[in-house]
Amino acid sequence: MAEALGPAQMRTYFALTEAVSLLQYAVRQQLQAEGDLSYVQFEVLATLADADRPLTMTELADGVVYSRSGLTHQAGLLEKAGLITRTASPHDQRATVVDITRAGRRRVEKVLPGHIEVVRDLLYGALSDSDVQTLGDLMSRVRDHMRDRPPRSAASRKQHNPLQ
Amino acid sequence: MAEALGPAQMRTYFALTEAVSLLQYAVRQQLQAEGDLSYVQFEVLATLADADRPLTMTELADGVVYSRSGLTHQAGLLEKAGLITRTASPHDQRATVVDITRAGRRRVEKVLPGHIEVVRDLLYGALSDSDVQTLGDLMSRVRDHMRDRPPRSAASRKQHNPLQ
DNA sequence: TATTGTTATACTCTATAACTATA
DNA sequence: TATAGTTATAGAGTATAACAATA
């Protein structure tokens, strides 16, 4: 059933893994050093800034693949830092509505240039425009395919599946 | 200095990020569920199995980008689980030589098929052979470029750099 | 003096389970 | 009964700094 990967598949998997690992490490360093933010915290702030309207915790969790308690914890930290607010939703009293503050937006703006610089230098430093296009096409297809998968083939066998 | 990324660059970055995030999540689930291993522990075991000779802690750390104390901690866990051994090197009394045990090899063998299955299904399920080749070429170039970089442009500015 | 590795420690992230409250 | 979210708690991963031993 499970057959070995071919040499090209191995090579691609390893290259992808190592490159992304290096990129993630650099990005995390930058966010921490310049904005005192973990990657997840940055994702939450960026999601809110991008949405340009308050989001519920559930909406946020959808974008940030995460356990709910984990998101609650991160939201608590961000709120304590004054970067977001949490208020009860008027429409559904169960829901919590999360909004980004001006300080939150400033923090994103403070961190974004460095973030972009890291990505441009590391990820795109060795790629032409058409390479970027090609890579985007490939990874978009991969991403769409993964989204469509029954959550996790291997994990669900063991009914050990926290999400979904 | 830091200019915005173009639309194609944004799209590619997000696609890459999300796809890899989904893949990592699935891989971690699988390794944990089927082998009770974290990803880093799997990397250590796989590195040792692949090297086919004992490695020093330093050699291991080179392959697994990691703080030394973190590697010591993981090695302690793997040793306690009977998957590796640590002994003083005869050549250099400072060095610790790490070897994989038969149980360690069995554990890798136990986990590998499921690991491969996840990668094949998720990463390669939507790619043709030539796509795999193309992706491998691109990511190999990206990886090589990243390896050659002064450790982390952003981080080193803040002299906050744990590696190198 | 520089290097190898460990220890002690502390902090962050993430998850589970139990819980409250609303729908 | 199901859903939204929080709390309490615990465990895993990672890092820093101080340290011992060897080169």
Side-chain angles (χ1 to χ4, degrees):
Chain A
M1 211 153 288
E3 313 185 14
L5 298 175
Q9 292 175 321
M10 295 284 277
R11 163 177 171 269
T12 299
Y13 178 51
F14 289 146
L16 180 69
T17 299
E18 185 180 346
V20 169
S21 166
L22 290 169
L23 180 60
Q24 285 178 335
Y25 191 90
V27 163
R28 280 176 188 154
Q29 286 290 120
Q30 183 270 325
L31 292 175
Q32 196 65 54
E34 297 182 7
D36 196 30
L37 293 173
S38 71
Y39 185 72
V40 175
Q41 289 161 3
F42 172 72
E43 271 191 308
V44 169
L45 290 182
T47 301
L48 288 168
D50 188 59
D52 217 40
R53 67 172 177 88
L55 298 177
T56 65
M57 293 293 282
T58 298
E59 286 175 317
L60 261 180
D62 287 346
V64 186
V65 182
Y66 214 55
S67 74
R68 285 215 292 224
S69 65
L71 181 57
T72 295
H73 178 239
Q74 293 301 330
L77 295 177
L78 290 171
E79 189 176 42
K80 196 183 304 179
L83 305 178
I84 65 169
T85 59
R86 283 186 291 182
T87 54
S89 164
H91 307 299
D92 183 338
Q93 293 285 33
R94 293 171 306 181
T96 296
V97 159
V98 184
D99 205 356
I100 187 170
T101 64
R102 291 191 54 196
R105 285 185 194 279
R106 278 198 302 272
R107 188 69 66 90
V108 171
E109 285 158 19
K110 179 183 177 188
V111 162
L112 210 45
H115 181 88
I116 288 171
E117 195 183 330
V118 169
V119 172
R120 191 157 16 57
D121 287 359
L122 290 184
L123 179 59
Y124 295 133
L127 299 182
S128 72
D129 285 353
S130 87
D131 290 335
V132 173
Q133 189 67 47
T134 303
L135 182 60
D137 291 346
L138 290 173
M139 294 314 293
S140 296
R141 264 163 52 207
V142 170
R143 179 204 53 204
D144 292 345
H145 175 252
M146 286 181 184
R147 279 180 178 164
D148 287 350
R149 287 262 103 180
R152 334 271 158 210
S153 48
S156 55
R157 267 192 252 133
K158 298 266 183 181
Q159 56 262 41
H160 195 290
N161 196 341
L163 299 110
Q164 278 278 2
Chain B
M1 210 156 286
E3 316 186 12
L5 299 175
Q9 290 175 320
M10 294 284 277
R11 164 178 171 269
T12 299
Y13 179 51
F14 289 145
L16 179 69
T17 299
E18 185 179 346
V20 168
S21 165
L22 289 169
L23 180 60
Q24 285 179 334
Y25 190 90
V27 163
R28 279 174 189 157
Q29 286 291 121
Q30 184 269 325
L31 292 174
Q32 195 63 55
E34 297 182 7
D36 196 29
L37 294 174
S38 71
Y39 185 71
V40 175
Q41 287 161 4
F42 171 73
E43 270 191 310
V44 169
L45 290 182
T47 302
L48 288 168
D50 188 58
D52 218 40
R53 68 174 176 87
L55 298 177
T56 66
M57 293 293 281
T58 297
E59 286 174 316
L60 261 181
D62 286 346
V64 185
V65 181
Y66 214 53
S67 74
R68 284 214 294 221
S69 65
L71 182 58
T72 296
H73 178 236
Q74 292 301 328
L77 294 177
L78 290 171
E79 189 176 43
K80 195 184 303 182
L83 304 178
I84 64 169
T85 59
R86 282 186 292 181
T87 54
S89 165
H91 308 297
D92 183 340
Q93 293 285 36
R94 293 171 304 178
T96 296
V97 158
V98 183
D99 204 357
I100 188 170
T101 64
R102 292 192 54 199
R105 287 187 193 278
R106 278 199 301 272
R107 187 71 65 91
V108 171
E109 285 159 19
K110 179 183 178 188
V111 162
L112 210 45
H115 182 88
I116 289 171
E117 196 182 329
V118 169
V119 172
R120 191 159 13 61
D121 287 359
L122 290 184
L123 180 58
Y124 296 132
L127 299 182
S128 71
D129 285 353
S130 88
D131 290 334
V132 173
Q133 189 67 47
T134 303
L135 181 60
D137 291 347
L138 290 172
M139 293 314 295
S140 295
R141 265 164 51 209
V142 171
R143 179 204 55 205
D144 292 344
H145 174 252
M146 287 183 185
R147 279 181 178 163
D148 288 349
R149 288 261 102 181
R152 333 273 157 205
S153 47
S156 55
R157 267 192 252 135
K158 299 268 184 179
Q159 56 263 42
H160 196 289
N161 196 340
L163 299 108
Q164 276 278 0

